[in-house]
Amino acid sequence: MKTVITYGTFDLLHWGHIHLLERAAKLGDKLIVGLSTDEFNEQKHKEAYHSYEHRKYILEAIRYVDQVIPEESWDQKIKDVQKYNVDTFVMGSDWEGQFDFLKPYCEVIYLPRTEGISTSKIKKDLEE
Ligand code: C2G
């Protein structure tokens, strides 16, 4: 039983998010998503359109996602990896190297970010 974990805001869900989740899910038997809370998004200087509850509701409907947990701080990942017996941590390549401190605890994989789509691009395009 291989457990994979990834983290993010997943606001205005788009095909780049799905492509990440699909590839992450294929790396194990169970995929957990640490979903940034609205309060943590403030620390990330991000303001999500959808509330945490609605972003969680949406993520839980995705076939690739088995469990959604709140991401409330930058320093919960080691505890999460231990608490959920995580084998593999996955993030998009825009985070390349940022989470290598997890290497003593689990496999760390950065997957190529999907080009041509992002939540900020959606917002910008809709403003025009
Ligand atoms: N992503 C991607 N391709 C895109 C957009 C996003 O692969 N075109 C990936 C990101 O690399 C990330 C995940 O989808 O792995 C979620 O993206 P965001 O919601 O933007 O997450 P972020 O705000 O980067 O938060 O502790 C980690 C942070 O919570 C990550």
Side-chain angles (χ1 to χ4, degrees):
M1 169 74 165
K2 229 179 135 191
T3 300
V4 182
I5 198 166
T6 190
Y7 294 80
T9 298
F10 294 98
D11 191 32
L12 301 185
L13 197 72
H14 55 67
W15 49 278
H17 292 137
I18 298 300
H19 190 223
L20 186 283
L21 294 170
E22 180 182 27
R23 288 174 293 164
K26 288 198 170 90
L27 294 171
D29 308 291
K30 177 181 179 183
L31 175 60
I32 301 172
V33 177
L35 183 62
S36 308
T37 60
D38 297 327
E39 297 74 18
F40 182 52
N41 273 329
E42 282 173 40
Q43 289 183 49
K44 287 168 44 178
H45 311 298
K46 265 191 164 185
E47 188 180 355
Y49 176 80
H50 294 303
S51 68
Y52 172 79
E53 282 312 312
H54 287 157
R55 287 182 286 116
K56 180 170 186 283
Y57 179 60
I58 291 167
L59 276 186
E60 287 176 339
I62 298 170
R63 71 178 66 178
Y64 304 120
V65 177
D66 297 291
Q67 183 177 6
V68 178
I69 62 171
E71 180 187 29
E72 298 168 295
S73 74
W74 287 114
D75 52 24
Q76 70 182 73
K77 294 184 174 68
I78 293 175
K79 281 198 306 290
D80 287 347
V81 166
Q82 293 167 328
K83 178 177 178 183
Y84 295 101
N85 298 314
V86 169
D87 299 283
T88 306
F89 167 88
V90 172
M91 284 304 294
S93 53
D94 47 315
W95 291 93
E96 185 81 35
Q98 301 301 307
F99 299 110
D100 289 358
F101 65 86
L102 289 171
K103 287 187 173 174
Y105 304 95
C106 62
E107 186 183 16
V108 174
I109 295 180
Y110 301 101
L111 296 173
R113 190 179 165 85
T114 303
E115 295 309 317
I117 186 67
S118 69
T119 303
S120 39
K121 176 177 172 17
I122 293 169
K123 286 178 179 173
K124 190 171 66 64
D125 292 354
L126 286 175
E127 273 159 19
E128 281 157 20

